[in-house]
């Protein structure tokens, strides 16, 4: 009778397994440290700011975010989108600006959203935008889109202002939408409940959502909240 060698990995002693785990952990930490040194913001500085402004309760959430973004830098765009979309949808609670910031309309930086642990639609979209940029997705492939969202009511439907993040695989591709209202990432054509108004990113403001290479409708100064947010994010250490 012919016999074949087992394909199961050889059994290792507990000490050997522990050593392997330590090596893997060290390699992961080295990857994260290397990423922060070259591409990411200073995590220690972000932690200092978070504790000073919001207390220590969400230090672990900040570190989880840092590990996620660092590890996502080596993944495909599709996997980056999925992981970062899931992270914020699952770890940040939805609330309105009056409850969080005592203002009618406040756009939070990613650090502020993590520090509060809550945000509205703009905050979700902005945090995902910055995180994907840090993970290596070019700005030209992303847009924040103001939409009118149709929501069911007792008497029919109502429209409300809403924001989502769009990703374009290329200039002619249909965008897919990252949204805190829905867990799954879907092509724009499937979101018939959303009516786009205008879109923008770090390069300009655009009429509608078609194509990432269309000429901008105006400079960022026309969108003062976005410009102020970019300034605050830079002051926190985001590029």
């Amino acid at each position: 009778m012919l016999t074949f060698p087992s394909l199961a990995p050889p059994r290792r002693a507990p000490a050997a397994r522990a050593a392997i785990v330590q090596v893997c952990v060290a390699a992961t930490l080295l990857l994260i440290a290397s990423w922060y040194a070259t591409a990411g913001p200073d995590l220690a500085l972000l932690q200092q700011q978070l504790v000073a402004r919001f207390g220590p309760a969400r230090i672990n959430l900040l570190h989880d975010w840092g590990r996620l973004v660092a590890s996502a830098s080596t993944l495909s765009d599709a996997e980056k989108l999925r992981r970062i979309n899931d992270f914020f949808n699952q770890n940040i609670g939805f609330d309105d600006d009056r409850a969080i910031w005592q203002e009618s309309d406040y756009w939070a930086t990613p650090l502020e959203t993590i520090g509060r642990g809550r945000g509205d639609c703009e905050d979700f979209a902005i945090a995902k935008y910055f995180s994907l940029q840090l993970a290596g997705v070019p700005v030209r492939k992303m847009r924040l889109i103001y939409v009118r969202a149709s929501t069911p009511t007792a008497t029919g439907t109502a429209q409300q202002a809403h924001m989502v993040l769009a990703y374009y695989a290329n200039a002619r591709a249909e965008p897919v939408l990252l949204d805190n209202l829905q867990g799954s990432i879907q092509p724009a054509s499937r979101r018939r409940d959303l009516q786009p108004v205008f879109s923008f990113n770090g390069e300009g403001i655009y009429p509608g959502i078609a194509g990432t290479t269309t000429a901008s409708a105006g400079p960022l100064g026309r969108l003062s909240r976005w410009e102020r947010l970019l300034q605050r994010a830079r002051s926190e250490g985001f590029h």
Side-chain angles (χ1 to χ4, degrees), residues 3 10 14 74 120 154 196:
T3 60
T74 63
D120 66 1

Side-chain angles (χ1 to χ4, degrees), residues 63 136 175 178 181 190 200 214:
H63 287 187
L178 287 69
L181 295 180
R190 293 188 184 176
F200 60 97
T214 55

Side-chain angles (χ1 to χ4, degrees), residues 6-22:
S6 171
L7 296 180
R11 300 188 66 179
R12 295 184 173 88
R17 290 198 297 270
I20 292 171
V21 170
Q22 290 178 353

Side-chain angles (χ1 to χ4, degrees), residues 13 15 45 66 71 73 79 115 170 202-203:
L45 178 60
S71 62
S73 64
E79 189 63 15
N170 58 65
E203 298 177 343

Side-chain angles (χ1 to χ4, degrees), residues 120-205:
D120 66 1
C121 59
E122 291 97 344
D123 303 331
F124 277 88
I126 288 166
K128 294 170 187 179
Y129 172 93
F130 273 91
S131 300
L132 286 167
Q133 184 181 1
L134 288 170
V137 177
V139 167
R140 69 177 184 275
K141 288 189 170 185
M142 296 186 289
R143 289 203 206 155
L144 296 148
I145 302 180
Y146 249 131
V147 300
R148 294 188 183 93
S150 298
T151 56
T153 67
T155 58
T157 59
Q159 287 196 335
Q160 62 180 5
H162 185 53
M163 186 182 288
V164 297
L165 177 64
Y167 167 84
Y168 301 75
N170 58 65
R172 296 185 177 182
E174 177 186 7
V176 295
L177 304 182
L178 287 69
D179 187 0
N180 64 292
L181 295 180
Q182 294 197 12
S184 61
I185 298 172
Q186 298 184 17
S189 60
R190 293 188 184 176
R191 295 300 306 275
R192 297 184 178 180
D193 58 318
L194 304 180
Q195 179 182 348
V197 180
F198 69 92
S199 57
F200 60 97
N201 58 19
E203 298 177 343
I205 304 172

